[in-house]
Every structure is written in structure tokens, then in C-alpha cells.
Amino acid sequence: MAPPRLPTAQKSGSAPKAPRSRIQKRNRQIILDAALEVFSTHGFRGATLDQIAAEAGLSKPNLLYYFDSKDAIHRELLTRLLDTWLDPLRMMNPEGDPQAEIMAYMRRKLELSRDFPRESRLFANEILQGAPRIESFIRNELRPLVDNKAQLMASWATAGKIARIDPYHLIFSIWALTQHYADFAAQIGMIRGDDQDALDGAEPFLNALYTRLLAP
Amino acid sequence: MAPPRLPTAQKSGSAPKAPRSRIQKRNRQIILDAALEVFSTHGFRGATLDQIAAEAGLSKPNLLYYFDSKDAIHRELLTRLLDTWLDPLRMMNPEGDPQAEIMAYMRRKLELSRDFPRESRLFANEILQGAPRIESFIRNELRPLVDNKAQLMASWATAGKIARIDPYHLIFSIWALTQHYADFAAQIGMIRGDDQDALDGAEPFLNALYTRLLAP
DNA sequence: GTCTATACTCTGATAGAC
DNA sequence: GTCTATCAGAGTATAGAC
């Protein structure tokens, strides 16, 4: 029951890495899995190589044989994460049915929280720290995309296809409501029980919420 | 323009502390302010006494003259925070108008995010780390209160005073939407600009959202 | 490729002069 | 009450045997 995994980042601009054997790939992946667990819980500075090594079942120097430094491990995780992070919003189709498109975006984000809660917490940790490592990503990639989709939603509102609500806050609300189930899972688990039930109830609730909010 | 401050925790059960001079109180408060800034950004383990000392304008040994340890500073901040954290939900009045009571709760939470964003991030950091230090608070204080108010809201729904929606997810949604503006302020600032505008638009949006959601 | 040993820095905390 | 000096432990990273 291994957790699903984000695709390997393959930025076309990055220099080609040295070829890696199967054992290389395998161990790098084991390390990244362990590091994701630790970084997403404690943040960059709060995490230690000892914890990651213990989680990975490898020795600390062995970690540093596969990655140049603690920072390099963290950077690799962030790169893979950001590569996928924008996909749900990118997929919003200007030609589709406005209400259905927004509902589908919300559901894609909720699925991301369900399938990749650790990645969501890794992202949350970065933002809480002031987003020092991903500021350029937010300004140069996320922001233009948000501006573009906000404009699209504004045009839908003007056309009477959806209610006249602030598109930026609509997007923020989708982020807040979906990511909350991953980022605050510990709290929700202590209140509602650690079963799936809590998350199972989220989808119908959010469906009802956005159905009512978007109706013109 | 000092930020507003949470009231000093005065648990009736705690042992009376030694009397403190004015300079004692003043410096302890300066340290707590600095520590709140650092802990809320980097989490407990990511924060260092050096950072806190620099932020407070005091020497590191001087910090430890006023507090027994790094942990003691952090614990004091959490205690003060939790003491206030439940107030908005506690104030929800079973005798009041259902829709108005829920809207008022949402607004009180939004005000808390506006006035105490660092405290919100301190709390978020704790939850992200799995809530190790506040687990008993969540299980023994927050959970019973949430159960109680959820039951109240369920009765309101049964009586046809509000829409038939899951009361737990309704509460979670209020937490997610209001705290998001404090916890993810860095991201919102990079997308919408660091002005007040972003937060100013939040209240009308959330008013519209919950007005539509709660209507029976 | 993996391990033990270790260098070196950072961090929490203490001692003791003033 | 506040500071300089310093210790002990933890943390990242490297050297070098195997």
C-alpha cells in the first residue's frame, strides 16, 4: 500500500544528470519518500538527517552519497511538487460549462489533498515560513495563472453564468477548504476520529457549498 | 502601532508565580513578542534562541534569565493562545437566531485572523507537526465544545432554521476559510499585493458564501 | 555502495564577573 | 539584571576503510 507518487520532475531546461542504475533510482526514491515524511511534518530546519536516515533505513553518510546535501533533498521534493501543483487550475477549460468547470477544479484539488497530504503539508510549511524558497514560483508561475483564471471567472460572472463573486477569493476559498483536510488532518482526526469518514464527508459538503455559492 | 496582545493566561489551577517587578513583566513581554514572531514562522525546532534574542534585542543568556528554557517560552505562548482560541465558538448562543449566530461566529474567527495572524500560524505549525503539544487540549477541550455546538447546529437544521448540512464540516469550513488568510498570508500577498485589500475583500466574500450556504 | 570515525559548526544552557 | 566566556550535545558534512 505504498502512497501514490508524484512524477519525476523533468524540466527541459535542466542539465542532464549522470545516468543512474536501478539501485540508484531505487535508493533515491526511498530517501525522497522518507524526507517527504519528515520535512512535511517538521519543516526544513526542524527536520534532521538523522530522522530521515532512520525513516529510510539507511545510514546518514549514505544519504549524502545519493544527494549533495540536506538542502538538495529538500529542493528536489519541492521541484517535483511544484511541477504538479498548478495542474488542477491549468485544466480549467474556458470553453466548458462555467459551473461544472469550477466544481471540477474544486474536486481535483480535493483529490490532491486526499492522495498527497504530505506534499500539501510540505507546501504549507513553506508558505508559513514566508515562502522564501518558492517566492519566484509564486510570483512568476502561480500568480499569472491565477490572474488568467480569475479573469476568466470574472467574464463568466459578467455573462451571468455564475454568481457575481470575487474570483480571487473564490480561488482562495477552494485552496483553503481543500488543503485544510490535508494540512489540519491531525486536528480533524482528533475531533472526528482517524477513519476515512471525515474525508468522505468532505466531498458532498463542498459540492453543496459551491453549488449554492456559484448559482447566478 | 504595536500589535494587539492576547491576555495573560491566568489559570486558576496553576501555582502562583513569584511576584514580578515592572521591568520583569516588561522584558518577559518583549521576549514573548519576539518568540512569537520566530516560532510562528519556523516552528518550535526550526526556531533558535539566537533568532529570538536578536529579535528581542537582548542577549541569549538574558532570555534564559527570564525563562527556564526554550521550551518554557514556547509553552507560555501556547498557553496564552489556547486560552483565547475557543472563545469565538463558546460565544455561539443557542438562544440566538441560528443564521445570525453562525455568521457572527465566522466574523469573530475572521477578526482573530486579522488581529492575531502570528498566533494563528503558531497554532498551524503545531497541527502540521501532528499536534504533539496540544493533543490533550484538542481532545479534552476543543472536541467536546465542537461536539456540543455541532449538536446545536444539527438541531437548527432539523428545525428548518438553516440548511441541512453537516455541522462538523461547516465548522471545519469556517476554520479553513478564516485561518487561511493568516496562515497563507505570504502567498496571498504575493498574488494580490501586500496591501490590506486582500483581507478587506475577504469579509464580504465570506458573508456572501455563508449567507447562501445557510439559507434553508 | 555502504559503513565507522571524525571534523567542524550550531545551539541550548550554565558559570561567573560586573 | 546583564554581560562575556564557555561547555556539552546535536547537527551537517567529509574521510577513508571495506
Side-chain angles (χ1 to χ4, degrees):
Chain A
M1 283 260 309
R5 210 167 278 146
L6 255 23
T8 304
Q10 281 295 3
K11 291 205 93 176
S12 50
S14 66
K17 299 278 171 55
R20 295 202 180 93
S21 66
R22 269 187 305 283
I23 186 167
Q24 278 263 8
K25 281 186 183 172
R26 196 183 109 86
N27 274 347
R28 281 178 64 92
Q29 192 54 55
I30 288 174
I31 292 168
L32 288 173
D33 273 351
L36 176 58
E37 185 70 32
V38 178
F39 280 133
S40 66
T41 305
H42 294 100
F44 178 74
R45 297 194 37 188
T48 70
L49 289 180
D50 277 315
Q51 286 178 287
I52 299 172
E55 182 83 22
L58 296 171
S59 69
K60 196 162 46 165
N62 210 0
L63 254 60
L64 294 167
Y65 169 77
Y66 287 100
F67 289 90
D68 286 341
S69 64
K70 175 185 178 181
D71 200 74
I73 303 176
H74 189 257
R75 203 162 34 238
E76 175 75 17
L77 284 173
L78 268 188
T79 303
R80 294 190 181 195
L81 165 60
L82 298 184
D83 211 48
T84 310
W85 203 240
L86 300 184
D87 286 347
L89 186 51
R90 277 204 199 98
M91 291 169 69
M92 186 182 286
N93 180 7
E95 314 296 330
D97 174 70
Q99 293 185 56
E101 286 295 325
I102 295 170
M103 299 291 287
Y105 170 54
M106 178 273 287
R107 271 191 291 269
R108 284 194 294 272
K109 280 289 292 178
L110 189 60
E111 281 163 19
L112 222 55
S113 278
R114 197 184 318 236
D115 295 339
F116 303 99
R118 300 179 304 177
E119 282 83 350
S120 181
R121 287 194 285 271
L122 183 71
F123 186 82
N125 255 307
E126 284 303 303
I127 304 294
L128 276 176
Q129 288 159 36
R133 297 175 187 80
I134 59 178
E135 174 161 1
S136 76
F137 166 83
I138 294 177
R139 292 196 189 279
N140 302 328
E141 303 195 53
L142 176 56
R143 179 181 169 159
L145 179 62
V146 168
D147 283 340
N148 177 271
K149 298 302 185 186
Q151 209 165 4
L152 171 62
M153 288 188 272
S155 76
W156 285 341
T158 304
K161 304 287 189 184
I162 60 170
R164 295 182 159 282
I165 45 180
D166 184 310
Y168 286 97
H169 288 281
L170 174 57
I171 292 175
F172 295 157
S173 77
I174 292 174
W175 293 350
L177 287 169
T178 56
Q179 293 171 197
H180 184 83
Y181 287 97
D183 302 343
F184 288 75
Q187 176 175 238
I188 292 176
M190 290 175 191
I191 289 177
R192 297 261 54 199
D194 280 306
D195 313 324
Q196 312 286 61
D197 307 356
L199 252 170
D200 287 347
E203 184 168 351
F205 174 82
L206 293 182
N207 272 331
L209 188 155
Y210 282 105
T211 300
R212 286 160 175 263
L213 178 61
L214 294 174
Chain B
M1 284 263 308
R5 211 167 277 146
L6 254 23
T8 303
Q10 281 295 3
K11 291 204 93 177
S12 51
S14 67
K17 300 278 172 55
R20 294 201 180 95
S21 66
R22 269 187 304 283
I23 188 167
Q24 278 263 9
K25 283 186 184 171
R26 195 184 110 87
N27 274 346
R28 281 177 65 92
Q29 192 54 55
I30 288 173
I31 291 169
L32 288 173
D33 272 352
L36 175 59
E37 186 69 32
V38 179
F39 281 133
S40 66
T41 305
H42 295 100
F44 179 73
R45 297 191 38 187
T48 71
L49 289 181
D50 277 316
Q51 287 177 288
I52 299 172
E55 182 83 22
L58 296 170
S59 70
K60 195 163 47 164
N62 209 1
L63 252 61
L64 294 167
Y65 169 79
Y66 287 100
F67 290 90
D68 286 342
S69 64
K70 175 185 179 181
D71 199 75
I73 304 176
H74 189 258
R75 203 162 36 238
E76 174 75 17
L77 284 173
L78 268 188
T79 303
R80 294 189 182 198
L81 165 61
L82 298 184
D83 210 49
T84 310
W85 203 240
L86 301 184
D87 286 347
L89 187 51
R90 278 205 197 97
M91 291 170 70
M92 187 182 285
N93 180 8
E95 314 296 331
D97 173 70
Q99 294 185 55
E101 286 295 326
I102 295 170
M103 299 291 287
Y105 170 53
M106 178 273 286
R107 271 191 291 269
R108 284 194 294 272
K109 281 288 291 176
L110 189 59
E111 281 163 19
L112 223 54
S113 278
R114 198 185 317 237
D115 296 338
F116 302 100
R118 300 179 303 178
E119 282 83 352
S120 182
R121 289 193 284 271
L122 183 71
F123 186 83
N125 256 307
E126 285 303 303
I127 303 294
L128 276 176
Q129 288 160 35
R133 297 174 187 81
I134 59 178
E135 174 161 2
S136 76
F137 165 83
I138 294 177
R139 292 196 190 279
N140 303 327
E141 304 195 53
L142 177 56
R143 180 181 168 159
L145 179 62
V146 168
D147 283 340
N148 177 271
K149 298 302 184 185
Q151 209 165 3
L152 171 62
M153 288 188 273
S155 75
W156 283 341
T158 304
K161 304 287 191 184
I162 61 171
R164 294 181 159 282
I165 45 179
D166 184 309
Y168 286 96
H169 288 280
L170 174 58
I171 292 175
F172 295 158
S173 77
I174 292 174
W175 293 350
L177 287 169
T178 56
Q179 292 171 198
H180 185 82
Y181 287 96
D183 301 344
F184 288 75
Q187 176 176 237
I188 292 176
M190 290 175 192
I191 290 177
R192 296 260 53 198
D194 281 306
D195 313 325
Q196 312 286 62
D197 307 356
L199 253 170
D200 288 348
E203 183 167 352
F205 174 82
L206 293 182
N207 272 330
L209 188 154
Y210 282 105
T211 300
R212 286 161 174 262
L213 177 61
L214 294 174

PDB file of all heavy atoms in Angstrom, chain B residues 86-100:
ATOM      1  N   LEU B  86     -10.744  29.263  21.982  1.00  0.00           N
ATOM      2  CA  LEU B  86     -12.094  28.708  21.947  1.00  0.00           C
ATOM      3  C   LEU B  86     -13.190  29.754  22.097  1.00  0.00           C
ATOM      4  O   LEU B  86     -14.365  29.460  21.859  1.00  0.00           O
ATOM      5  CB  LEU B  86     -12.259  27.657  23.054  1.00  0.00           C
ATOM      6  CG  LEU B  86     -11.315  26.464  23.014  1.00  0.00           C
ATOM      7  CD1 LEU B  86     -11.658  25.475  24.108  1.00  0.00           C
ATOM      8  CD2 LEU B  86     -11.381  25.780  21.657  1.00  0.00           C
ATOM      9  N   ASP B  87     -12.805  30.954  22.495  1.00  0.00           N
ATOM     10  CA  ASP B  87     -13.813  31.970  22.810  1.00  0.00           C
ATOM     11  C   ASP B  87     -14.845  32.192  21.698  1.00  0.00           C
ATOM     12  O   ASP B  87     -16.044  32.232  21.979  1.00  0.00           O
ATOM     13  CB  ASP B  87     -13.133  33.297  23.165  1.00  0.00           C
ATOM     14  CG  ASP B  87     -12.502  33.249  24.554  1.00  0.00           C
ATOM     15  OD1 ASP B  87     -12.814  32.289  25.300  1.00  0.00           O
ATOM     16  OD2 ASP B  87     -11.723  34.150  24.896  1.00  0.00           O
ATOM     17  N   PRO B  88     -14.421  32.362  20.439  1.00  0.00           N
ATOM     18  CA  PRO B  88     -15.428  32.646  19.406  1.00  0.00           C
ATOM     19  C   PRO B  88     -16.505  31.565  19.313  1.00  0.00           C
ATOM     20  O   PRO B  88     -17.689  31.892  19.163  1.00  0.00           O
ATOM     21  CB  PRO B  88     -14.592  32.702  18.116  1.00  0.00           C
ATOM     22  CG  PRO B  88     -13.239  33.112  18.562  1.00  0.00           C
ATOM     23  CD  PRO B  88     -13.043  32.432  19.892  1.00  0.00           C
ATOM     24  N   LEU B  89     -16.103  30.310  19.413  1.00  0.00           N
ATOM     25  CA  LEU B  89     -17.098  29.238  19.310  1.00  0.00           C
ATOM     26  C   LEU B  89     -17.953  29.150  20.578  1.00  0.00           C
ATOM     27  O   LEU B  89     -19.165  28.909  20.520  1.00  0.00           O
ATOM     28  CB  LEU B  89     -16.399  27.901  19.043  1.00  0.00           C
ATOM     29  CG  LEU B  89     -17.313  26.707  18.743  1.00  0.00           C
ATOM     30  CD1 LEU B  89     -18.313  27.024  17.656  1.00  0.00           C
ATOM     31  CD2 LEU B  89     -16.490  25.479  18.362  1.00  0.00           C
ATOM     32  N   ARG B  90     -17.299  29.359  21.732  1.00  0.00           N
ATOM     33  CA  ARG B  90     -18.041  29.355  23.002  1.00  0.00           C
ATOM     34  C   ARG B  90     -19.181  30.367  22.989  1.00  0.00           C
ATOM     35  O   ARG B  90     -20.241  30.135  23.558  1.00  0.00           O
ATOM     36  CB  ARG B  90     -17.100  29.731  24.161  1.00  0.00           C
ATOM     37  CG  ARG B  90     -16.254  28.601  24.695  1.00  0.00           C
ATOM     38  CD  ARG B  90     -15.840  28.870  26.146  1.00  0.00           C
ATOM     39  NE  ARG B  90     -14.711  28.028  26.555  1.00  0.00           N
ATOM     40  CZ  ARG B  90     -13.450  28.427  26.537  1.00  0.00           C
ATOM     41  NH1 ARG B  90     -13.134  29.654  26.173  1.00  0.00           N
ATOM     42  NH2 ARG B  90     -12.481  27.603  26.907  1.00  0.00           N
ATOM     43  N   MET B  91     -18.952  31.488  22.301  1.00  0.00           N
ATOM     44  CA  MET B  91     -19.929  32.577  22.342  1.00  0.00           C
ATOM     45  C   MET B  91     -21.175  32.287  21.507  1.00  0.00           C
ATOM     46  O   MET B  91     -22.139  33.067  21.558  1.00  0.00           O
ATOM     47  CB  MET B  91     -19.284  33.879  21.851  1.00  0.00           C
ATOM     48  CG  MET B  91     -18.236  34.443  22.808  1.00  0.00           C
ATOM     49  SD  MET B  91     -17.306  35.807  22.056  1.00  0.00           S
ATOM     50  CE  MET B  91     -18.558  37.080  22.000  1.00  0.00           C
ATOM     51  N   MET B  92     -21.130  31.226  20.719  1.00  0.00           N
ATOM     52  CA  MET B  92     -22.310  30.917  19.903  1.00  0.00           C
ATOM     53  C   MET B  92     -23.491  30.605  20.822  1.00  0.00           C
ATOM     54  O   MET B  92     -23.436  29.674  21.623  1.00  0.00           O
ATOM     55  CB  MET B  92     -22.017  29.730  18.985  1.00  0.00           C
ATOM     56  CG  MET B  92     -23.140  29.451  17.992  1.00  0.00           C
ATOM     57  SD  MET B  92     -22.788  28.000  16.975  1.00  0.00           S
ATOM     58  CE  MET B  92     -21.556  28.665  15.856  1.00  0.00           C
ATOM     59  N   ASN B  93     -24.557  31.384  20.660  1.00  0.00           N
ATOM     60  CA  ASN B  93     -25.665  31.369  21.615  1.00  0.00           C
ATOM     61  C   ASN B  93     -26.835  30.501  21.134  1.00  0.00           C
ATOM     62  O   ASN B  93     -27.445  30.803  20.110  1.00  0.00           O
ATOM     63  CB  ASN B  93     -26.141  32.805  21.851  1.00  0.00           C
ATOM     64  CG  ASN B  93     -27.287  32.867  22.836  1.00  0.00           C
ATOM     65  OD1 ASN B  93     -27.642  31.876  23.466  1.00  0.00           O
ATOM     66  ND2 ASN B  93     -27.866  34.072  22.963  1.00  0.00           N
ATOM     67  N   PRO B  94     -27.169  29.441  21.874  1.00  0.00           N
ATOM     68  CA  PRO B  94     -28.280  28.547  21.473  1.00  0.00           C
ATOM     69  C   PRO B  94     -29.611  29.283  21.389  1.00  0.00           C
ATOM     70  O   PRO B  94     -30.513  28.836  20.669  1.00  0.00           O
ATOM     71  CB  PRO B  94     -28.314  27.502  22.609  1.00  0.00           C
ATOM     72  CG  PRO B  94     -26.973  27.574  23.256  1.00  0.00           C
ATOM     73  CD  PRO B  94     -26.513  28.993  23.110  1.00  0.00           C
ATOM     74  N   GLU B  95     -29.724  30.394  22.099  1.00  0.00           N
ATOM     75  CA  GLU B  95     -30.992  31.132  22.125  1.00  0.00           C
ATOM     76  C   GLU B  95     -31.089  32.140  20.989  1.00  0.00           C
ATOM     77  O   GLU B  95     -32.163  32.703  20.746  1.00  0.00           O
ATOM     78  CB  GLU B  95     -31.158  31.879  23.463  1.00  0.00           C
ATOM     79  CG  GLU B  95     -30.829  31.036  24.701  1.00  0.00           C
ATOM     80  CD  GLU B  95     -31.785  29.876  24.851  1.00  0.00           C
ATOM     81  OE1 GLU B  95     -32.940  30.006  24.407  1.00  0.00           O
ATOM     82  OE2 GLU B  95     -31.359  28.812  25.377  1.00  0.00           O
ATOM     83  N   GLY B  96     -29.967  32.414  20.339  1.00  0.00           N
ATOM     84  CA  GLY B  96     -29.973  33.452  19.316  1.00  0.00           C
ATOM     85  C   GLY B  96     -30.561  32.970  17.997  1.00  0.00           C
ATOM     86  O   GLY B  96     -30.963  31.818  17.855  1.00  0.00           O
ATOM     87  N   ASP B  97     -30.574  33.864  17.011  1.00  0.00           N
ATOM     88  CA  ASP B  97     -31.041  33.499  15.668  1.00  0.00           C
ATOM     89  C   ASP B  97     -29.979  32.633  15.001  1.00  0.00           C
ATOM     90  O   ASP B  97     -28.816  33.049  14.880  1.00  0.00           O
ATOM     91  CB  ASP B  97     -31.269  34.765  14.835  1.00  0.00           C
ATOM     92  CG  ASP B  97     -31.598  34.422  13.396  1.00  0.00           C
ATOM     93  OD1 ASP B  97     -32.701  33.895  13.160  1.00  0.00           O
ATOM     94  OD2 ASP B  97     -30.745  34.657  12.505  1.00  0.00           O
ATOM     95  N   PRO B  98     -30.355  31.427  14.571  1.00  0.00           N
ATOM     96  CA  PRO B  98     -29.366  30.467  14.052  1.00  0.00           C
ATOM     97  C   PRO B  98     -28.445  31.042  12.987  1.00  0.00           C
ATOM     98  O   PRO B  98     -27.213  30.986  13.136  1.00  0.00           O
ATOM     99  CB  PRO B  98     -30.251  29.349  13.494  1.00  0.00           C
ATOM    100  CG  PRO B  98     -31.456  29.369  14.365  1.00  0.00           C
ATOM    101  CD  PRO B  98     -31.700  30.828  14.667  1.00  0.00           C
ATOM    102  N   GLN B  99     -29.002  31.563  11.910  1.00  0.00           N
ATOM    103  CA  GLN B  99     -28.129  32.071  10.850  1.00  0.00           C
ATOM    104  C   GLN B  99     -27.232  33.192  11.352  1.00  0.00           C
ATOM    105  O   GLN B  99     -26.031  33.240  11.061  1.00  0.00           O
ATOM    106  CB  GLN B  99     -28.966  32.543   9.662  1.00  0.00           C
ATOM    107  CG  GLN B  99     -29.709  31.404   8.978  1.00  0.00           C
ATOM    108  CD  GLN B  99     -30.434  31.857   7.730  1.00  0.00           C
ATOM    109  OE1 GLN B  99     -29.832  32.431   6.840  1.00  0.00           O
ATOM    110  NE2 GLN B  99     -31.737  31.595   7.671  1.00  0.00           N
ATOM    111  N   ALA B 100     -27.798  34.103  12.129  1.00  0.00           N
ATOM    112  CA  ALA B 100     -27.017  35.222  12.639  1.00  0.00           C
ATOM    113  C   ALA B 100     -25.897  34.740  13.560  1.00  0.00           C
ATOM    114  O   ALA B 100     -24.781  35.269  13.530  1.00  0.00           O
ATOM    115  CB  ALA B 100     -27.929  36.212  13.379  1.00  0.00           C
TER     116      ALA B 100
END
